[in-house]
Amino acid sequence: MDYRLLVDLEALAVLDGMPKRTRKSLLEHFVRLRSTPDRHSDFHEQDRIGRRVEISVFAGYAIHYWIDFADRHIKVLAIKPADRQERTRPSLMPYDPTHPVNGDVADADEIREKFDFTQGWIDARWQSAVR
């Protein structure tokens, strides 16, 4: 049984402002989310009250949604532009040492030598809003 899809008005406004082809592609992705919402999540975060909010990156956009298992609803909370880097499916949000919130930029080169930063992630503006 599919979940019922509910979309926030602000997310609808973002969809309305997209090119027709992109909007159609995202709407088709929403249909896939309805059948298996937990399989399409690339990242997750906690909202202000502690609920797990899933993030699916698709067609250059980060789709923030909440799975309401009790009511069998998928609640799309926001659609935000994602960065243009190629993505894999990491299990956790990657740590970006160059971001001012996370560390000293002077140490970034040393950290890059120790870790592989080939996984894509949401751009720094979005990351700062998440943290």
Side-chain angles (χ1 to χ4, degrees):
M1 181 171 134
D2 284 348
Y3 285 73
R4 182 172 182 206
L5 182 71
L6 305 171
V7 181
D8 187 87
L9 285 174
E10 291 175 9
L12 284 175
V14 172
L15 274 172
D16 193 40
M18 290 179 184
K20 188 175 182 178
R21 176 177 276 158
T22 305
R23 182 174 53 241
K24 183 179 179 186
S25 178
L26 279 171
L27 290 173
E28 289 171 356
H29 185 65
F30 287 171
V31 170
R32 289 189 294 274
L33 279 176
R34 287 180 55 206
S35 60
T36 55
D38 51 338
R39 291 181 126 184
H40 295 283
S41 176
D42 294 304
F43 306 101
H44 69 274
E45 64 185 17
Q46 300 291 322
D47 69 2
R48 284 174 281 172
I49 60 173
R51 284 185 301 223
R52 180 179 168 128
V53 175
E54 306 295 335
I55 303 169
S56 174
V57 179
F58 183 80
Y61 290 90
I63 304 161
H64 299 243
Y65 63 97
W66 174 50
I67 305 170
D68 187 346
F69 292 103
D71 291 336
R72 299 206 49 87
H73 290 165
I74 302 298
K75 298 174 181 176
V76 176
L77 306 172
I79 301 170
K80 300 177 182 180
D83 68 0
R84 302 197 190 298
Q85 296 179 4
E86 188 174 321
R87 301 207 183 299
T88 59
R89 291 183 53 92
S91 58
L92 298 172
M93 172 105 37
Y95 174 77
D96 181 5
T98 62
H99 192 273
V101 173
N102 297 331
D104 187 3
V105 176
D107 298 332
D109 293 330
E110 179 183 330
I111 294 171
R112 276 194 196 95
E113 291 175 11
K114 295 179 182 175
F115 300 99
D116 180 16
F117 285 98
T118 58
Q119 297 176 332
W121 55 78
I122 309 302
D123 68 308
R125 288 174 294 160
W126 181 82
Q127 277 190 353
S128 64
V130 171
R131 295 182 197 265

